[in-house]
């Protein structure tokens, strides 16, 4: 049986850099070990496979993820810490929105933390990641700090997009995170293009398979019926582009339940001629292993479609109370039975990695880091007025139509 080893993540760069490095150092000193801990995955519950006709596999065997992940104590705690930080950050976002410090749209990621954390551990920073507008968690795990991520929501100049993108448009191109896209489904063909770039340059540089990179392209169940998604699928398979499509199925597209919007809710089968994996999106180890296997497949054979079944605790956005199309009891039932952080906590205690008291210490330290980042973001300045005209792409000379058909103005920008 194949064993899977997770390497420590790059999350130490997140939040307030010095504070977070100190936190990790303290925790690692307390839990330091080189031993690997085996976490079993119930494959019957965590995974389902879509295996296309053999003519599309061209002799390859799509075996799917394994039933075991082996990690060090440090990595397991790092995963817990990341999910706890995202949950605390989103709580702070909720508070700042209700205080009217965050304006415009704001989509929270609470409940879905295992997806971005599992993916981050299965990838490298040379892999590309692109997603929709529910992206705060991805911004944090891909190198964003609490301060810069919150400042962006507040419209402050210290934000990761200089305060111009807000909640929906966060990027960290230096770490190959490409947002943060507001048009439903539009990131899917863009992410396919990123994967095509990986393929081109990896071929040009004659990289070995183990050194090649992929693009992870995330979209929601509400975007799964978009025509451009299927066009991207077709192109990716036609050219065997190394792309991993991940449908984050949180059960509702805005206020519409999946069974009311989709004739088939088996989103992992939507690729037809592309192999697919259903994964329990609230089990961080299962997500990690699914993404690891999908990347391994994609660099050699082309695209994979993953459906990560999850659940969002808040409404679609902060303007949606989230209880007009579902009951409070439904939300609470998921919190009680499937919450990714609670499940992770139980596993850590069960394997003797940490006690409940030690995990509470991590929770409190994360809470303090988030509070410090929020305080700094609130104190930051708004962008100066001249920034209104910065970062706008246009020709040096262009025509602007006036009030009537025959009225035009010539504008020179240089």
């Amino acid at each position: 049986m194949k064993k899977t080893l997770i390497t420590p993540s790059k999350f130490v760069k997140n939040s307030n850099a010095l504070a977070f490095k100190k936190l990790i150092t303290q925790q690692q000193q307390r839990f330091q070990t080189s031993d690997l801990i085996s976490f079993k995955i119930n494959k019957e519950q965590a995974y389902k496979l879509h295996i296309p006709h053999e003519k599309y596999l061209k002799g390859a065997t799509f075996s799917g993820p394994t039933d075991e992940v082996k990690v060090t104590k440090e990595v397991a705690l790092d995963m817990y810490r990341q999910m706890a930080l995202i949950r605390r950050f989103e709580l702070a976002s909720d508070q700042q929105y209700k205080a009217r410090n965050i304006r415009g749209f704001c989509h929270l990621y609470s409940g879905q933390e295992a997806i971005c954390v599992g993916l981050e551990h299965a990838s490298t920073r040379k892999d590309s990641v692109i997603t929709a507008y529910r992206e705060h968690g991805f911004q944090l795990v891909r190198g964003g700090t609490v301060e810069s991520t919150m400042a962006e929501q507040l419209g402050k100049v210290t934000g990761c997009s200089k305060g111009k993108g807000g909640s929906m448009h966060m990027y960290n191109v230096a770490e190959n995170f490409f947002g943060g896209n507001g048009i439903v489904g539009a990131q899917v063909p863009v992410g396919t293009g990123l994967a095509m770039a990986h393929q081109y340059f990896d071929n040009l540089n004659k990289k070995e398979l183990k050194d090649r990179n992929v693009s992870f392209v995330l979209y929601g169940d509400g975007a799964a019926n978009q025509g451009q998604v299927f066009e991207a699928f077709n192109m990716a398979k036609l050219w065997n582009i190394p792309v991993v499509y991940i449908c984050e199925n949180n059960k509702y597209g805005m206020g519409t339940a999946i069974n009311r919007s989709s004739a088939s809710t088996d989103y992992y089968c939507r690729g037809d001629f592309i192999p697919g994996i259903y994964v329990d999106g609230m089990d961080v180890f299962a997500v990690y292993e699914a993404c690891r296997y999908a990347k391994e497949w994609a660099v050699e054979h082309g695209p994979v479609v993953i459906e990560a079944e999850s659940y969002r605790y808040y409404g679609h956005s902060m303007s949606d109370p989230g209880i007009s199309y579902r009951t409070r009891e439904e939300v609470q039932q998921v919190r009680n039975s499937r919450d990714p952080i609670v499940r992770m906590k139980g596993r850590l205690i069960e394997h003797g990695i940490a006690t409940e008291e030690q995990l509470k210490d991590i929770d409190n330290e994360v809470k303090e880091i988030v509070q410090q980042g929020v305080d700094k973001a609130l104190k930051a300045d708004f962008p100066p007025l001249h920034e209104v005209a910065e970062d706008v792409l246009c020709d040096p000379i262009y025509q602007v139509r006036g009030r009537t058909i025959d009225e035009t103005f010539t504008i020179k920008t240089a």
Side-chain angles (χ1 to χ4, degrees):
M1 182 180 296
K2 186 172 183 178
K3 306 299 184 183
T4 304
L5 170 62
I6 302 177
T7 56
S9 82
K10 293 72 54 179
F11 197 62
V12 293
K13 297 172 67 176
N14 291 1
S15 190
N16 301 310
L18 294 177
F20 206 84
K21 285 180 181 178
K22 181 179 178 182
L23 165 62
I24 288 185
T25 299
Q26 291 173 343
Q27 294 298 339
Q28 287 180 340
Q29 288 173 347
R30 293 166 62 188
F31 304 112
Q32 192 72 37
T33 179
S34 59
D35 296 335
L36 297 179
I37 310 297
S38 175
F39 290 88
K40 300 294 290 185
I41 299 171
N42 187 326
K43 291 183 69 171
E44 292 186 1
Q45 295 180 5
Y47 304 122
K48 288 182 279 187
L49 299 183
H50 164 62
I51 303 177
H53 189 280
E54 61 184 12
K55 70 179 180 180
Y56 298 118
L57 296 177
K58 298 180 179 179
T61 300
F62 189 77
S63 57
T66 67
D67 64 353
E68 182 181 24
V69 170
K70 300 188 79 173
V71 303
T72 64
K73 289 185 177 182
E74 294 78 34
V75 169
L77 288 165
D78 194 31
M79 286 179 156
Y80 178 84
R81 188 180 294 110
Q82 290 177 42
M83 290 194 290
L85 184 87
I86 296 167
R87 181 70 60 86
R88 177 58 60 173
F89 180 88
E90 294 297 52
L91 177 59
S93 299
D94 171 73
Q95 294 167 344
Q96 292 304 316
Y97 188 93
K98 290 174 178 176
R100 299 188 177 183
N101 291 324
I102 295 175
R103 303 300 180 95
F105 292 105
C106 182
H107 306 82
L108 303 185
Y109 203 61
S110 295
Q112 300 179 225
E113 298 91 347
I115 299 175
C116 68
V117 172
L119 186 159
E120 176 65 9
H121 280 268
S123 65
T124 74
R125 291 289 173 84
K126 292 183 179 180
D127 295 313
S128 298
V129 176
I130 188 169
T131 186
Y133 41 76
R134 197 180 305 279
E135 89 283 37
H136 302 163
F138 288 96
Q139 180 68 20
L140 290 168
V141 299
R142 273 266 145 172
T145 65
V146 168
E147 180 185 356
S148 66
T149 307
M150 181 58 71
E152 187 57 40
Q153 294 193 87
L154 297 169
K156 299 299 185 72
V157 71
T158 54
C160 53
S161 298
K162 296 164 59 173
K164 300 180 180 182
S167 170
M168 297 171 65
H169 301 288
M170 298 179 178
Y171 308 89
N172 191 347
V173 177
E175 302 291 352
N176 285 311
F177 177 57
F178 294 89
N181 294 267
I183 304 301
V184 175
Q187 73 276 13
V188 177
V190 175
T192 306
L194 291 169
M196 189 175 179
H198 284 304
Q199 183 184 57
Y200 176 82
F201 286 111
D202 287 349
N203 286 338
L204 188 67
N205 295 318
K206 299 179 180 179
K207 285 187 177 181
E208 296 182 24
L209 285 177
K210 65 181 180 63
D211 298 321
R212 291 181 174 236
N213 298 107
V214 304
S215 176
F216 290 94
V217 181
L218 296 105
Y219 57 97
D221 53 273
N225 300 316
Q226 286 275 320
Q228 58 193 328
V229 173
F230 294 94
E231 291 180 48
F233 285 177
N234 181 67
M235 294 177 69
K237 181 56 183 174
L238 187 64
W239 297 328
N240 289 324
I241 295 173
V243 55
V244 178
Y245 298 107
I246 303 178
C247 176
E248 294 187 275
N249 175 12
N250 62 20
K251 299 298 189 178
Y252 297 93
M254 298 187 73
T256 304
I258 57 173
N259 65 321
R260 295 182 59 230
S261 65
S262 298
S264 170
T265 58
D266 293 328
Y267 296 105
Y268 68 104
C269 300
R270 290 289 191 91
D272 184 17
F273 38 74
I274 299 174
I277 303 170
Y278 162 90
V279 62
D280 179 355
M282 300 181 87
D283 180 342
V284 68
F285 291 127
V287 173
Y288 163 80
E289 174 58 10
C291 291
R292 183 208 61 79
Y293 178 79
K295 176 181 175 179
E296 182 182 274
W297 173 273
V299 295
E300 185 172 4
H301 304 292
V304 182
V305 176
I306 293 177
E307 174 192 346
E309 184 185 5
S310 188
Y311 198 85
R312 58 170 164 81
Y313 294 154
Y314 289 88
H316 172 72
S317 68
M318 285 299 297
S319 60
D320 168 22
I323 53 173
S324 59
Y325 49 86
R326 60 184 186 178
T327 64
R328 287 187 174 90
E329 289 73 22
E330 177 185 313
V331 179
Q332 192 59 47
Q333 191 276 331
V334 175
R335 281 184 178 270
N336 292 340
S337 62
R338 296 188 62 208
D339 183 84
I341 298 177
V342 173
R343 291 171 73 179
M344 183 62 166
K345 180 182 291 187
R347 282 185 161 187
L348 294 176
I349 295 173
E350 177 186 351
H351 284 75
I353 294 175
T355 65
E356 188 164 354
E357 180 79 23
Q358 290 167 334
L359 294 175
K360 284 182 180 179
D361 289 343
I362 294 177
D363 293 339
N364 290 333
E365 289 163 340
V366 163
K367 180 180 179 180
E368 180 61 27
I369 287 170
V370 171
Q371 188 59 56
Q372 290 177 8
V374 172
D375 290 344
K376 288 184 178 180
L378 287 168
K379 293 175 182 177
D381 294 328
F382 288 104
L385 187 59
H386 69 80
E387 283 286 348
V388 171
E390 301 290 338
D391 305 313
V392 178
L393 299 179
C394 62
D395 295 327
I397 300 177
Y398 63 98
Q399 302 288 326
V400 176
R401 191 167 59 187
R403 295 165 295 176
T404 61
I405 295 177
D406 58 348
E407 185 179 46
T408 59
F409 300 92
T410 300
I411 308 296
K412 296 182 179 181
T413 60

